[in-house]
Structures are given as C-alpha cells and as structure tokens.
Amino acid sequence: MLGLMQDWPLLIHKIIDHAALYYREREVVTRAPEGPIERTNYGEIAVRARQVAAALDKRGIKLGDRVGTLAWNTARHLESWYGIAGIGAVYHTLNPRLFPDQIAWIANDAGDRALFFDVTFAELVAKLAPHLKTVEFYVALTDRAHLPKADIPNLVAYEDFIAGMPRDFAWKEFDEHTACGLCYTSGTTGNPKGALYSHRSNTLLAMIACSTDTLGLSGRDAVLPVVPMFHANAWGIAFAAPMTGAKLVMPGPRLDGASLCALFAEEKVTMTAAVPTVWLGALQYLEQSGKTLPYLKKVLIGGAACPRSMIEIFEKKYGVEVIHSWGMTEMSPLGTLGTLKAKFADLPYEKKLDYKMRQGHPPFGVEMRIVDAENRELPRDGKTMGKLKVRGPAVAKAYFKGEGAAAFDAEGWFDTGDVATLDSDGYMTITDRAKDVIKSGGEWISSIDIENLAVGHPAVAEAAVIGVRHPKWDERPLLIVVVKPGQTASKKDILDHLAGKIATWWMPDEVVFVDAIPHSATGKIQKTALRERFAEFRLPDAAG
Ligand code: ADP
C-alpha cells in the first residue's frame, strides 16, 4: 500500500520562492567585485533569478545544458544559480584559483554553453576564450558602465542580459532528480572529476544544513560564507540561508582578515564558514589590530583539519563557538559536524576540546563506515584506522561521464580516499588522506595529528608533515614549519613541544623551516608539491 501524501518535488527554485514570499525584505549584502557594498533582498533576488532564467531560455539554453560560472560570492552569482537551475540547466562552478589550462579543460569537459564571470576575471576569460570550444556567449556579472574592455567574444553585461525580461517568468517543470549543479574536484590523481548535484540532493543538503546540530542556521542569523560558491556549493549556505530567511553577507573577492572582520562588524554577522587557512589570516589580523568579534557566535571550520589552538583562540579569546566539520565535493559537501553531544555537556573544557578536535558525527542522511584493504568493516573503537566510506541522498553515486568508477562499490558505498577512525559515540577522526598517510615500519602515522600539535606552538604559523624515504622504516615523518612573522623557534623548541603528546615513534625525524607552505585551489596544504620538493631529502640518521 502506498502512502497518500503529495509528490512535492524537491526543487531548489522552490527555496528562493519561499524566501521571496516569507523573507522578502531580508537583506543580501555584497562587497561587489567593482568595489562598493551593494544591498538587495530575497524578494528582488527571486525576481531577478526569473529574469536570468528567461534570458537563458531566450538564448536557447535548455534542460541539462551546462552554464559555467567563474565568480565570487555575490548576489548576482546567487541569482544566476537559481535562474540557471530554474530552467533545468546546470550551474557549473569553475574555481578561478586553478591554472588557466585546468579551467579550460574542465569547462570543455563539462561542455559549458555559456560563461558568467566577475569583472575581476575579465583578463583570465579573454585568455581562456579561444580555448573554450563549447561556450557560445559570455555574461559579465556587472552593469554596462563596468563592462570589461577585454577581448571577449559575444559578451554582454549581466544587467543588459536580464533587462526587460519578464519578472514573473515561469520556472520550467521537471523531476527532482534533474541535474542542478556541477563541481569538479581537484585532479590530484588523474583529471578532475565532476560531482553532479541534483535538485533533490541540494534541497536535502539545505535541510541538513538548517538543522540545529549541524550549521544550525536560523532566520535570526546573519551568515557570511567565506567558503566560495565554487568550493562545493558554499557548503550549502547558498540554499540554507534563503530557506530559513537568514541575512546573507557575501564577501566578494576580498577574503583577507581586515576585510572580513570589517564586514563581520558592519553587518553584525553571527555565523561564518571557511577553511583553516582563511582563519590563520583573520586571527593574525585580530591579534595585531586588537579588534574583537562582537556579534559573531559561531564559525564552521572544515575542508582541512582544524588545529586545536585555533578552536581554543576562537572560543576562549573571542567567545565564538567553533564547529569543526568534514566533507567533500562529492558529498555536496556536508559529511560530519563536530557539535557536542549531550553526554559531554558537563565535561571540563579541555576534555570538550578533545571531542571538538575530531571531525564530528554525521547528520541524518549520511551513513559512514571504515573498512580494511579487503573491504571488511572495521570496529568503531576510536583506535582502528580504516578507509572511510560513505552513503546518502546527497552523496555522489557516480562521477560526471562515468569517470573514476573505482571509487564506488557494488553496495553503493563511496570511497572518500580518507583514512579515519570512528568511535562508539559516532565521532569520526580523519587521520590522513590515504595518499598522505606515512607508513613507518608497517604502521600508520597520522600527519594531521602532528601538524595540529605543531601549530599549537606559539611561534608556529603553519605546519605540514610528509613522509620521506627511510632505508629501515620505509618512511619517516618530516615536519615542515612556517614561523609567525617576527618570531623564532628552533628544531628543539618544536620537538620539545611535541614530546609527550604523541607516541615516541611518531616524533618527526627532522624539522625544516620554510617561508611558505603551498596551498591548493581550495586552500589545503599541497602535500604533493611538498613531497616533490623534499623528494631527495636525507634524514639525519638515514645514511645507511
Ligand atoms: P578538493 O579535493 O578539491 O580540495 P574537497 O573540498 O572536496 O575538494 O576535499 C575533500 C577532502 O578534504 C576530504 O576528503 C578530506 O581529505 C579533506 N578534509 C575536509 N575537511 C576536513 C577536516 N575537517 N579535517 C581533515 N581533512 C578534511
């Protein structure tokens, strides 16, 4: 017997319609790439999204067509997402931090028929245009006065593109499983691979993001997603904010500490989200300027492991709750969130920190398990490390065009490529990416644990640990350190700081000091680049 409830498709344009009806005047504030602060609201965004849809429809963009975006977090980018998806086309976010030939490869692979871009990227787009085989026209996300002079064919200013288009254009009708967004992961092994989100998965993602023990976004929040819309759906905030009626503050291109902290204060931001490297900069700025975070209540930190010292500074010094989270492009991206469970409420702060350091527990809608090399499930004892696999309605079941099929097993589990432990309370701890794990004498050493401890040293700005060849142990850890400006630290200082906090056989064999550690286009430490740089490195006792 079937239930008798309505078949109400989960379509993302229903989110912006909901916002327009119930939170019409709730503000969306943008630091525009052209410079000024611009203000609009959900009512206007919904109307202009329909105009984008109408303009694309007029140009012959159809169900399933891909439309690329090369843009910062702005209101126009948001309108474009809803407009593109509202006719059943697919917004395809391109990461401007990739090399131009990578961007061209991805846009060609996706077959983007149009490209929306911010004026910041005009020169980049002019360089890319001759190589973009499928792009028929370009929309600069600006008005005619700021239209770039760069040599870009079939170029139109966004404001001209949507001018005169019907404000009540009807969304197209299609199934909730229809593709909605496309985002390529970095191509650390082989070519980049596309995660293809559906209307249903994005709507479920937004509902997950709104629930209290995840992002816990409320209509009374003012949220500033530092995490870019081109990095895994801005972690769901571009959907969750209009769904709940939260004020949205879009930082545009200026993601430095001073610019972000100014926006936090001016717009009374209560919640924000970004990768740890962004917070390294922001916390340094706060320390130097003596400024505070008077309105901020909560910060979501994920995309790479969040050091213990960072959680402590946010919580103790600035009174801002940290939610450490883990996820991936292939998971839309929410995987686990580190909110504290009720049973830990009365623990002393240091013990609470032990739990907050972990990557968190999965919300309803994410299943996870760890397995060994033969795909046998491993115990949830908080100690055993295994390959982390996931399932859920907002988890990829395949990559775009069937690439990378080996990551998906017959039971529908997706291999995250991460190595983790799971404990009996459901908390997951990432020990490494499988390819970054250090194998010493047949055992695994977690580079993340050592890095986290090293950045807890007051003079250390950033730290990375890689495995280097060792004749006896196969690999041993090498600790690479960037010291904070104006500070000093010796190898002994750093090793003394680690001593007693990790097993002796985990202690790095050597510490090297560098000016900077390279980061990927999504702000993660680029271990591959470090391994190349230190490929010939000889450890002090590895002469034999
Ligand atoms: P990319 O590989 O393009 O940077 P993702 O953002 O999808 O894209 O990367 C996901 C990976 O980032 C995860 O598989 C994991 O290795 C790492 N990661 C994400 N969040 C965390 C975290 N909180 N702690 C440790 N690693 C993390």
Side-chain angles (χ1 to χ4, degrees):
M1 187 187 285
L2 295 178
L4 289 172
M5 291 293 132
Q6 297 182 5
D7 193 7
W8 192 83
L10 303 177
L11 299 167
I12 69 152
H13 44 273
K14 285 180 187 276
I15 299 175
I16 205 68
D17 282 350
H18 177 78
L21 197 54
Y22 296 105
Y23 315 114
R24 187 167 50 89
E25 289 165 0
R26 194 64 165 139
E27 271 188 314
V28 177
V29 180
T30 300
R31 191 196 293 282
E34 297 89 336
I37 297 283
E38 292 175 351
R39 292 176 185 279
T40 178
N41 58 39
Y42 287 124
E44 266 306 295
I45 290 206
V47 166
R48 285 159 58 88
R50 284 176 192 264
Q51 291 182 301
V52 172
L56 288 169
D57 185 59
K58 196 171 161 204
R59 295 263 189 155
I61 300 291
K62 305 180 306 298
L63 187 82
D65 286 344
R66 275 79 62 206
V67 176
T69 67
L70 195 60
W72 301 110
N73 291 4
T74 68
R76 287 190 179 115
H77 195 183
L78 193 71
E79 291 162 4
S80 306
W81 271 23
Y82 283 103
I84 293 165
I87 55 167
V90 180
Y91 65 81
H92 171 210
T93 47
L94 291 154
N95 185 335
R97 296 180 184 139
L98 293 171
F99 291 116
D101 54 349
Q102 283 175 308
I103 301 175
W105 187 93
I106 292 172
N108 285 331
D109 192 64
D112 294 339
R113 285 191 60 192
L115 182 65
F116 286 49
F117 67 95
D118 272 332
V119 288
T120 332
F121 305 121
E123 275 176 31
L124 172 63
V125 172
K127 227 185 286 167
L128 289 171
H131 307 284
L132 300 182
K133 300 180 192 128
T134 55
V135 174
E136 296 159 32
F137 61 95
Y138 293 82
V139 180
L141 290 159
T142 189
D143 54 18
R144 194 178 299 176
H146 294 89
L147 192 65
K149 304 275 176 292
D151 183 17
I152 299 167
N154 300 323
L155 173 65
V156 58
Y158 178 83
E159 294 301 331
D160 289 339
F161 185 63
I162 65 170
M165 288 293 145
R167 294 167 61 87
D168 58 353
F169 181 79
W171 304 122
K172 301 279 177 184
E173 284 182 23
F174 43 80
D175 184 274
E176 65 177 15
H177 292 282
T178 302
C180 168
L182 178 63
C183 182
Y184 280 66
T185 65
S186 63
T188 33
T189 47
N191 284 325
K193 296 181 277 293
L196 187 60
Y197 311 118
S198 66
H199 279 261
R200 176 184 152 83
S201 69
N202 274 348
T203 309
L204 291 172
L205 165 74
M207 293 173 112
I208 291 173
C210 290
S211 64
T212 309
D213 277 313
T214 61
L215 276 63
L217 207 58
S218 138
R220 290 169 295 284
D221 276 311
V223 58
L224 188 153
V226 185
V227 54
M229 292 166 73
F230 56 75
H231 186 195
N233 273 328
W235 299 354
I237 294 170
F239 308 122
M243 187 177 264
T244 55
K247 171 177 166 177
L248 197 49
V249 183
M250 301 296 232
R254 286 171 52 187
L255 306 181
D256 59 286
S259 305
L260 289 176
C261 292
L263 266 190
F264 290 153
E266 283 155 22
E267 300 301 329
K268 299 191 168 57
V269 171
T270 57
M271 169 162 192
T272 183
V275 295
T277 41
V278 165
W279 300 127
L280 283 179
L283 289 176
Q284 269 182 31
Y285 167 78
L286 286 170
E287 200 178 321
Q288 283 156 9
S289 65
K291 296 235 160 78
T292 56
L293 298 167
Y295 304 99
L296 204 60
K297 293 197 186 80
K298 205 154 55 178
V299 52
L300 191 72
I301 305 184
C306 177
R308 189 179 183 103
S309 52
M310 189 173 277
I311 303 181
E312 249 183 313
I313 294 174
F314 263 119
E315 299 201 331
K316 279 195 180 155
K317 185 162 180 196
Y318 298 108
V320 178
E321 182 193 355
V322 171
I323 302 175
H324 187 192
S325 60
W326 164 88
M328 328 178 53
T329 304
E330 292 89 331
M331 300 180 73
S332 295
L334 299 182
T336 53
L337 295 113
T339 45
L340 272 192
K341 295 198 172 180
K343 66 192 279 192
F344 306 123
D346 297 326
L347 287 180
Y349 184 67
E350 285 302 313
K351 289 264 181 287
K352 282 187 182 161
L353 257 185
D354 292 344
Y355 282 96
K356 287 183 156 260
M357 282 287 299
R358 300 176 191 187
Q359 273 72 9
H361 47 96
F364 177 75
V366 177
E367 283 183 69
M368 45 183 28
R369 67 175 181 180
I370 47 169
V371 298
D372 66 11
E374 274 75 49
N375 208 22
R376 285 178 304 224
E377 189 165 358
L378 292 167
R380 296 169 187 254
D381 59 8
K383 289 195 290 278
T384 312
M385 298 182 198
K387 293 205 289 182
L388 181 63
K389 292 197 157 187
V390 291
R391 288 200 299 212
V395 175
K397 65 175 176 185
Y399 285 111
F400 188 52
K401 295 182 167 175
E403 282 294 314
F408 304 90
D409 73 18
E411 295 161 313
W413 291 94
F414 167 67
D415 185 344
T416 62
D418 284 330
V419 174
T421 62
L422 298 176
D423 71 14
S424 54
D425 291 307
Y427 284 80
M428 184 274 283
T429 306
I430 297 273
T431 47
D432 257 313
R433 277 199 165 186
K435 56 187 182 334
D436 295 337
V437 151
I438 301 165
K439 294 185 197 77
S440 175
E443 299 281 347
W444 286 350
I445 294 176
S446 164
S447 62
I448 291 183
D449 277 4
I450 308 174
E451 287 160 5
N452 277 340
L453 284 170
V455 287
H457 186 287
V460 174
E462 203 172 9
V465 175
I466 55 167
V468 291
R469 274 179 303 136
H470 189 283
K472 180 165 173 204
W473 303 110
D474 282 344
E475 278 184 336
R476 289 294 304 158
L478 169 69
L479 173 57
I480 301 160
V481 169
V482 181
V483 172
K484 283 184 189 162
Q487 309 241 18
T488 52
S490 67
K491 171 181 169 181
K492 183 171 178 307
D493 295 337
I494 309 276
L495 293 182
D496 284 351
H497 174 76
L498 299 180
K501 301 191 180 91
I502 47 171
T504 43
W505 64 277
W506 279 31
M507 284 296 270
D509 285 29
E510 184 60 294
V511 181
V512 293
F513 295 88
V514 296
D515 292 338
I517 284 176
H519 291 111
S520 73
T522 47
K524 296 178 218 288
I525 292 176
Q526 247 180 343
K527 296 269 174 98
T528 38
L530 288 175
R531 277 195 290 266
E532 274 167 32
R533 176 165 166 197
F534 290 97
E536 300 306 320
F537 190 83
R538 306 274 290 178
L539 291 167
D541 75 332

